[in-house]
Amino acid sequence: MARIGFIGLGNMGGPMAANLVRAGHAVAGYDLSAAALEALAAGGGTAAASAAEAAKGAEIVITMLPAGQHVRDVWLHQGGLIEIAKATGALLIDCSTIDVDSARVVAAAAEAAGLAMLDAPVSGGTTGALAGTLTFMVGGSEDAFARGLPILHAMGRNIFHAGGPGAGQAVKICNNMMLSINMVGVAEGFILAQKLGLDWGKLHEICSTATANSWALSSYCPAPGPVPAAPSNRDYAPGFMAALMLKDAKLAQEAAEATGAPTPLAAQALSLYQAVVDAGDGARDFSVVFRWLSQQKR
Ligand code: NAD
């Protein structure tokens, strides 16, 4: 069993760290939130006073932070985390969803210190994090991937090696760009169905076995009712916050601009999530786009 430092114990990191504890690992965690630290300790982990303290003596150091700036900050500018990891030759794993450049900058700094690093963003949401059934899309060397695999298996079910440094983030950005569009598509379908006098339960039952099916429709229906576990049934409590989806939609557009990829629907979806955030719903689940759209006029 490994000694693991875990930094960022939020909606995703909290349950992921708890699953590592459950798998028998010794987990020292750090978060800016005292409540998150208490939850880790209640689950059998150790609350650390800083990121550096969490990483001290660890064989694996994992980060699960909101965005690229936090990841760069924690790894490069706060308390010399890479220096601390060097003492144990730790494997570094960043599970946050961030821009490819930040992932490569941090991986290069790790490599310069003789350390291996994986970018390992996840898919599956908070339900997947709680159940330990996340999908990991991993960038980094073959050797580092092999070292990280048993640890990632304690938090996820499907673990994919996407390619070299940054490749995990590249896959994740494409995945979330598609999801951002899917969710708006499902929302529009359910709004039109209501106007046509259809029952949402029937629409869900039929379309989730027809060609419109998607994860957004079958597992995360944005209209309340058909999927009891979906955030739509708890006033859109996250889940995956609209502000984070907006962040990912922006990452995708930046990547599309940099590479010349035509992504008109994703650009339109971004503007809708921006409107949701501007309306004050950034901290609600991104499926709240359904409720926002329901309140608009054609
Ligand atoms: P969150 O905001 O719930 O958690 C982030 C945590 O990081 C917070 O608890 C915050 O206090 C902590 N933090 C921020 N700066 C810190 C620092 N300097 N030191 C220590 N802790 C710090 O977000 P989340 O939903 O857990 O998402 C985390 C990452 O996972 C994001 O990149 C997100 O895009 C990605 N993601 C989220 C989901 C989801 O469904 N929530 C799904 C897939 C991927």
Side-chain angles (χ1 to χ4, degrees):
M1 289 299 119
R3 291 187 63 181
I4 301 175
F6 203 116
I7 299 148
L9 303 163
N11 289 325
M12 295 295 288
M16 288 164 71
N19 280 329
L20 290 171
V21 173
R22 237 169 264 134
H25 299 294
V27 180
Y30 176 66
D31 196 288
L32 300 176
S33 145
L37 287 171
E38 278 162 27
L40 175 72
T46 308
S50 66
E53 190 182 303
K56 210 168 175 187
E59 297 146 73
I60 312 270
V61 182
I62 301 176
T63 41
M64 189 49 161
L65 297 161
Q69 82 200 61
H70 307 93
V71 173
R72 282 196 310 273
D73 243 33
V74 165
W75 281 112
L76 306 177
H77 308 304
Q78 271 183 24
L81 207 54
I82 287 182
E83 282 308 306
I84 289 161
K86 224 168 131 176
T88 47
L91 172 66
L92 317 183
I93 308 179
D94 177 43
C95 296
S96 329
T97 302
I98 64 171
D99 57 289
V100 176
D101 273 356
S102 292
R104 290 188 175 145
V105 165
V106 178
E111 197 185 340
L115 296 172
M117 180 154 200
L118 298 172
D119 50 291
V122 303
S123 171
T126 44
T127 43
L130 282 162
T133 56
L134 292 168
T135 294
F136 282 87
M137 19 212 133
V138 185
S141 71
E142 289 280 358
D143 277 0
F145 179 70
R147 276 175 74 191
L149 205 52
I151 300 299
L152 299 180
H153 265 305
M155 301 181 283
R157 186 180 287 155
N158 300 306
I159 325 283
F160 295 101
H161 190 205
Q169 294 296 349
V171 172
K172 174 69 186 174
I173 285 170
C174 295
N175 181 80
N176 277 22
M177 186 183 84
M178 294 188 268
L179 173 62
S180 71
I181 299 169
N182 284 347
M183 184 55 81
V184 173
V186 176
E188 291 187 6
F190 276 73
I191 291 168
L192 178 60
Q194 188 176 40
K195 300 273 186 207
L196 293 171
L198 289 174
D199 173 67
W200 281 341
K202 270 285 163 230
L203 182 76
H204 183 267
E205 183 190 353
I206 297 168
C207 291
S208 58
T209 56
T211 46
N213 192 25
S214 64
W215 178 84
L217 172 66
S218 60
S219 304
Y220 216 77
C221 185
V227 178
S232 52
N233 297 303
R234 42 173 210 266
D235 197 23
Y236 299 95
F240 181 45
M241 288 186 276
L244 287 178
M245 178 50 99
L246 178 61
K247 175 201 74 169
D248 292 357
K250 285 179 177 167
L251 291 180
Q253 285 307 296
E254 282 163 23
E257 261 161 43
T259 56
T263 54
L265 278 184
Q268 184 68 35
L270 186 158
S271 69
L272 296 177
Y273 293 109
Q274 182 70 64
V276 167
V277 170
D278 292 346
D281 279 338
R284 292 193 193 279
D285 188 80
F286 77 112
S287 57
V288 76
V289 70
F290 166 80
R291 190 167 72 186
W292 182 86
L293 268 173
S294 309
Q295 292 160 353
Q296 306 306 306
K297 292 215 161 57
R298 188 179 163 74

